[in-house]
Amino acid sequence: MSKVLTTDVTNSNATIITIENIYLLIGLVVMFLVVRTLQDKNHPKRLTTALFWLLFGSSFLFGDVSIALFGKANTYLWVGVSVVLIALLAGLNLVSMGGYQPLTEQQQTQSASRLGNKLFVPALMIPVITVLLTVSFDGIAIGDYYLLDQRHLTLASLTIACVSALLIGWKMTGGNPIEAVTESRRLLDSIGWAAILPQMLAMLGGVFIVAQTGDSIKELVTLFIAPENRFMLVVLYCVGMALFTMVMGNAFAAFPVMTAGIAMPFLIEGHGASAAPLVAIGMYSGYCGTLMTPMAANFNIIPAALLDLKDKYHVIKVQIPTALALLTVNIILMYMVVFND
C-alpha cells in the first residue's frame, strides 16, 4: 500500500516522530547512564550520582505514564520534589566523576592521524541536517501523518541530526553506538550538575514571569533613579540585562523581566524610545552576561569539558574583557540611537 507525499495536512493530527518520542529517547539514554554509573565500582559517589541522573531522567521517561495513572497534579508534585532533591544532591556535592577507561594519549594521536579532518564531519552534520529538515519538513506529511512534530519541528530535526551523526561517527571510527553513549557518561560527569542548568533556568524564568517580577523591579527603580534621568535608566537596563542573565544563565529568561520592569515603563513610554532597536540592544546586553557566567553551562562550561581544560572557568575568563567592552558599546549605542528626540 503506497502513500502520497502531500503538504495539505490541515486535517492531519498524527505524527511519526513526536516530542513524546524524543523525550522517551532522552529518558532511555539517561537511564543507560544510570546503569553504567551503578556498575562503576570505583565511583566515589556512585549511589548519589546515579540517584541524581535517575531523578532527572525519570521525568522524561515516565512523565506521560505518571499523568495517565496519577493525574497532572500528583505528577507535577512528584516533578517538583524531584527538582528539590536534584538541587540538594548538587548543592551537597554528592555528584562527582567516576572511573573510566579512556584511550591512551598514543591511541588518541593515532586515531586523530588516521581520521584527520574527517573528525569534524559528524559534528558539522548536526547543524546542517537540523536546518535542512526544519526548512524542508515544515507542513510535510505522508497521507494522514506528519513526518515530524510540527509543534517542535526544530527539536525533532535536531534529534534526527544527532542520531545520524552518531551512526556516521560509529562507521568512521570503527566503534559502536554503545561506546559512544558510554563515553557520554564521562562527558556528563565532567560537566556535572551544570549540564541540566539550561532546563532548570528556563523553568525559573517562567516562574519569574508568572510572579510578575518585572513589576517589583519597576518599583525598585523609582526608589533609586529619577524617571527623567535617561542615561542612568539606559545604564540600568543594559547592566541589569547582563547581571540578570548572569544569574539566570539565559538572556531569554532575563529579557521579559527587565523589559517589563525598566524598558517599557521608563524608556519606551516615559522617554519615547523606539521599541525595536531598544529591545534588540537590550538582548545584546544580555548576551554580554552570557559570556561571563558559569550558569550558561552550554556556552561556557561544556566547551571547557569538551576541550579537557584543567580550569573549567577558563572560557569565561577569556571572554570577560570582550563582554565588558561590548556592554559599554551597547550602553553608548542605546543612548545615542533609540530615542526619537
Side-chain angles (χ1 to χ4, degrees):
M1 181 175 63
S2 63
K3 294 186 177 180
V4 179
L5 186 66
T6 176
T7 57
D8 183 13
V9 293
T10 55
N11 296 322
S12 176
N13 294 319
T15 304
I16 296 176
I17 299 179
T18 66
I19 190 66
E20 289 78 14
N21 299 146
I22 296 170
Y23 288 159
L24 181 61
L25 176 61
I26 295 172
L28 290 173
V29 171
V30 175
M31 292 305 167
F32 178 84
L33 302 181
V34 171
V35 172
R36 288 295 194 186
T37 300
L38 291 173
Q39 292 174 339
D40 185 358
K41 303 301 182 181
N42 297 320
H43 201 303
K45 299 175 182 178
R46 176 166 55 98
L47 296 179
T48 52
T49 300
L51 177 60
F52 179 90
W53 293 113
L54 175 65
L55 291 170
F56 176 69
S58 61
S59 60
F60 290 98
L61 195 58
F62 305 117
D64 288 341
V65 175
S66 177
I67 290 175
L69 293 177
F70 306 110
K72 286 187 177 181
N74 291 326
T75 300
Y76 294 162
L77 177 61
W78 160 56
V79 172
V81 171
S82 297
V83 170
V84 173
L85 292 175
I86 285 172
L88 288 174
L89 290 169
L92 295 174
N93 195 30
L94 296 176
V95 181
S96 69
M97 295 188 68
Y100 315 97
Q101 295 179 339
L103 297 176
T104 64
E105 185 174 344
Q106 181 180 2
Q107 290 174 320
Q108 292 178 9
T109 301
Q110 291 175 347
S111 178
S113 300
R114 176 173 60 86
L115 295 172
N117 290 331
K118 292 180 181 179
L119 282 170
F120 295 101
V121 171
L124 293 175
M125 284 178 60
I126 295 175
V128 171
I129 293 177
T130 300
V131 172
L132 289 176
L133 292 181
T134 301
V135 173
S136 303
F137 286 82
D138 184 10
I140 298 297
I142 299 178
D144 294 330
Y145 292 87
Y146 287 117
L147 297 178
L148 301 178
D149 194 326
Q150 299 299 294
R151 300 166 301 162
H152 307 278
L153 183 57
T154 302
L155 183 55
S157 301
L158 176 61
T159 302
I160 294 176
C162 290
V163 173
S164 301
L166 175 64
L167 296 176
I168 293 298
W170 164 33
K171 297 299 292 184
M172 286 177 52
T173 60
N176 60 68
I178 298 297
E179 291 178 352
V181 179
T182 300
E183 177 64 14
S184 69
R185 182 175 76 92
R186 183 193 64 81
L187 177 60
L188 270 180
D189 284 349
S190 64
I191 299 169
W193 56 266
I196 68 173
L197 267 180
Q199 182 184 4
M200 296 296 182
L201 292 173
M203 291 189 295
L204 183 59
V207 171
F208 281 158
I209 294 172
V210 173
Q212 298 181 333
T213 308
D215 293 338
S216 300
I217 291 177
K218 177 182 176 181
E219 294 177 4
L220 286 173
V221 169
T222 57
L223 296 177
F224 300 101
I225 298 179
E228 61 272 11
N229 192 335
R230 178 185 296 178
F231 178 74
M232 287 306 300
L233 289 171
V234 168
V235 171
L236 184 62
Y237 180 46
C238 292
V239 174
M241 274 294 300
L243 291 177
F244 205 66
T245 298
M246 292 176 68
V247 173
M248 298 293 296
N250 191 323
F252 291 98
F255 176 76
V257 176
M258 299 304 296
T259 300
I262 301 174
M264 284 295 296
F266 296 108
L267 296 174
I268 296 176
E269 297 176 2
H271 289 273
S274 180
L278 177 78
V279 297
I281 297 174
M283 281 296 293
Y284 297 153
S285 300
Y287 297 151
C288 295
T290 302
L291 297 174
M292 299 187 287
T293 177
M295 301 298 281
N298 48 333
F299 292 106
N300 300 328
I301 302 300
I302 291 178
L306 289 172
L307 296 172
D308 289 326
L309 300 180
K310 294 181 179 180
D311 182 1
K312 65 179 180 180
Y313 301 117
H314 183 74
V315 173
I316 297 173
K317 294 175 181 177
V318 171
Q319 292 174 163
I320 286 177
T322 301
L324 293 176
L326 288 174
L327 183 59
T328 302
V329 171
N330 284 337
I331 293 172
I332 297 172
L333 188 63
M334 181 179 291
Y335 184 73
M336 296 179 62
V337 170
V338 304
F339 297 98
N340 296 320
D341 54 6

